[in-house]
Amino acid sequence: MLSLVWFKRDLRVADHPALAMAAAQGPVLPLYIIEPEYWVQPEAAARHYGFVTECLADLQRDLVALGQPLLLRDGDAVTVLERLRAKHRFTQIISHKDSGSAWDRARDQRVAAWAQEAGLRWLELDPDEVPQAEVTALPHVAEGTGALPSARSLKLPEDRCDFRQKGGREAGVAALQGFVEARAPLYPKAQDSPVLAERGSSRLSAYLAYGALSQREVAQAAAEVKAARRGQADWVRGLRRFERQLAARGAGASPAGSQDAGCEGPQYGPDVDRAVRFAAWSAGETGLPFVDASMRYLRATGWLNARMRGLLWSVARFHLGLDTRAALHLARSFTDYDSALFWPQIRQIEGAGRPMILDPVKQGLLQDPSGAFIRRWLPELAALPDAALHRPWASAQARRHLAGRYPEPVVDPASAAKQARAVLARQAKPRSTPIAPRRAPVAAGQMCLDL
Ligand SMILES: Cc1cc2nc3c(=O)[nH]c(=O)nc-3n(C[C@H](O)[C@H](O)[C@H](O)COP(=O)(O)OP(=O)(O)OC[C@H]3O[C@@H](n4cnc5c(N)ncnc54)[C@H](O)[C@@H]3O)c2cc1C
């Protein structure tokens, strides 16, 4: 039986249950679709596409080695699939479940409706629930491989990211080995520090987000080294902590819909000058050194540790009163952007009852006490004495030195945080007249669960 394996965010052949299942039943058409409509969504960025194309190059190499090259097609998914079906008469599509965005779900619904009408079976596997099986060879099916469109032809705006991690299976395996075999003991100390995290964090997120590595193989590699290093406390502690973090990315953590773009909630900052505040924040020019250093680092590398991601969003949301537009800027900036992880994190910082209003000065003093991170990413501040580095606006001498080179803060962080707390307190105030819960009429004989 000829099967079509649709690769999405699972760009590898190792530990790929969909490919293994299809290969066990006969020849396979492996397909990746570049969907122009996806790449013009507001969260898409050229750095994502760059990473994906590198993953596809490795995937192509590995599939060619197995005997059947990857088919690259660009266009609408239903049109691409229909064209291939008309030519090859495959009888089933196998892919991995993908807890994607609203756009992905809408596309999948159209594909499902088309497949049903065409009498095709579409199997969507949960890769973690299917036993591991490796594919050793694939019979060749004659079909042109196709080519990748350029980022420009997909209308992706230019996006310089000089220090982006290289995509692909090979780079992913190297990062995994480097972490479990050398860097893991640094992990607990490094996680929160922007200086140490660059090396001490696993740096596997983008490889996991695009599936160049499977979550299962990463977990297995960590468990094996942990067992081999039993008795070495720093290794065991580091790997245990990493395993907990990795488990957080389980698909079940984000119910359908929670990954949809957007942030709701009150308006924290003033309405006026929001465009100016957005421009300053996104350019790393708010005048708040630790925030600006984090933003410039993110722009240049495509990566940040979780604490700094939280800080950038907390300041955008609570101090500067920004909303979805700022969140989308972050989504475009993270090479590892994954809607199933990103949007729940964005909402969590606004928090149901526990908003995280982080103090950018305090965080800077805590996470970058020597100022090395600020000095590296804000060279215009390099000559400032330590005492003025985190709050240059409070020192007349520092202000004179920076005049015309680095902006005054766009907001006073202490009073902006106070205002945001006041907005939240007003929101939390109970209404004077309690509102009776609305109940939908219950059909006779039906059980009523009043939750
Ligand atoms: C506002 C915000 C947005 C975020 N957006 C993304 C995103 O789009 N894509 C993404 O992969 N991560 C996201 N994260 C989670 C986290 O910041 C990154 O996964 C992590 O910094 C990546 O670095 P690492 O691979 O070295 O992580 P490690 O600390 O080494 O963690 C190992 C792996 O666990 C997973 N992981 C880590 N933290 C979390 C978490 N809190 N929830 C779920 N899974 C986690 C990641 O896959 C990561 O690669 C976001 C966090 C915040 C606060």
Side-chain angles (χ1 to χ4, degrees), residues 165 179 183 187 191 197 200-206 208-209 215 218 241-242 244-250 253 303-311 313 330-331 334-343 345-349:
Q165 283 178 282
F179 180 69
R183 297 183 284 118
Y187 186 72
Q191 245 185 333
S201 200
S202 76
R203 309 298 308 274
L204 297 177
S205 52
L208 287 162
Q215 184 167 336
V218 171
R241 184 113 168 230
F242 168 73
R244 274 205 301 274
Q245 208 61 45
L246 185 66
R249 81 180 303 281
W303 183 85
L304 256 185
N305 60 327
R307 183 158 283 271
M308 297 309 107
R309 293 182 195 216
L311 175 71
W313 177 241
L330 289 181
F334 298 153
T335 308
D336 60 24
Y337 170 66
D338 180 341
S339 60
L341 299 186
F342 179 85
W343 293 103
Q345 290 289 331
I346 286 290
R347 295 200 183 100
Q348 196 177 327
I349 284 163

Side-chain angles (χ1 to χ4, degrees), residues 121-349:
R121 189 162 85 124
W122 180 13
L123 265 176
E124 285 187 281
L125 307 179
D126 181 338
D128 292 326
E129 285 176 6
V130 182
Q132 249 161 317
E134 294 305 321
V135 179
T136 49
L138 291 169
H140 185 71
V141 182
E143 176 61 47
T145 51
L148 284 171
S150 68
R152 185 185 287 209
S153 72
L154 291 169
K155 302 191 180 72
L156 283 162
E158 194 159 332
D159 175 24
R160 250 186 91 173
C161 186
D162 292 344
F163 305 106
R164 171 173 67 72
Q165 283 178 282
K166 187 177 180 326
R169 171 80 187 166
E170 203 172 301
V173 169
L176 174 59
Q177 280 172 352
F179 180 69
V180 295
E181 289 169 15
R183 297 183 284 118
L186 307 173
Y187 186 72
K189 256 199 185 155
Q191 245 185 333
D192 285 347
S193 153
V195 185
L196 302 177
E198 185 171 300
R199 202 177 121 67
S201 200
S202 76
R203 309 298 308 274
L204 297 177
S205 52
Y207 303 105
L208 287 162
Y210 296 100
L213 296 173
S214 78
Q215 184 167 336
R216 175 160 58 187
E217 69 180 319
V218 171
Q220 283 170 351
E224 272 165 31
V225 176
K226 197 177 68 182
R229 297 271 185 179
R230 206 176 321 128
Q232 292 174 262
D234 52 346
W235 280 87
V236 173
R237 201 177 312 120
L239 287 163
R240 222 179 250 157
R241 184 113 168 230
F242 168 73
E243 285 175 328
R244 274 205 301 274
Q245 208 61 45
L246 185 66
R249 81 180 303 281
S254 83
S258 70
Q259 61 269 43
D260 290 349
C263 58
E264 297 125 23
Q267 182 55 51
Y268 297 102
D271 230 7
V272 288
D273 290 344
R274 199 170 315 145
V276 175
R277 276 176 275 130
F278 173 76
W281 174 80
S282 55
E285 301 212 340
T286 61
L288 304 168
F290 195 49
V291 173
D292 292 341
S294 299
M295 184 59 91
R296 292 191 202 178
Y297 175 82
L298 172 60
R299 189 172 56 198
T301 64
W303 183 85
L304 256 185
N305 60 327
R307 183 158 283 271
M308 297 309 107
R309 293 182 195 216
L311 175 71
L312 282 181
W313 177 241
S314 174
V315 168
R317 190 73 185 116
F318 297 117
H319 297 77
L320 306 181
L322 304 177
D323 49 25
T324 305
R325 186 175 173 205
L328 287 168
H329 176 82
L330 289 181
R332 287 191 295 274
S333 304
F334 298 153
T335 308
D336 60 24
Y337 170 66
D338 180 341
S339 60
L341 299 186
F342 179 85
W343 293 103
Q345 290 289 331
I346 286 290
R347 295 200 183 100
Q348 196 177 327
I349 284 163

Side-chain angles (χ1 to χ4, degrees), residues 393-411:
W393 62 88
S395 149
Q397 205 185 349
R399 287 175 74 185
R400 266 197 308 280
H401 174 75
L402 294 176
R405 288 200 273 175
Y406 184 68
E408 293 280 324
V410 282
V411 290

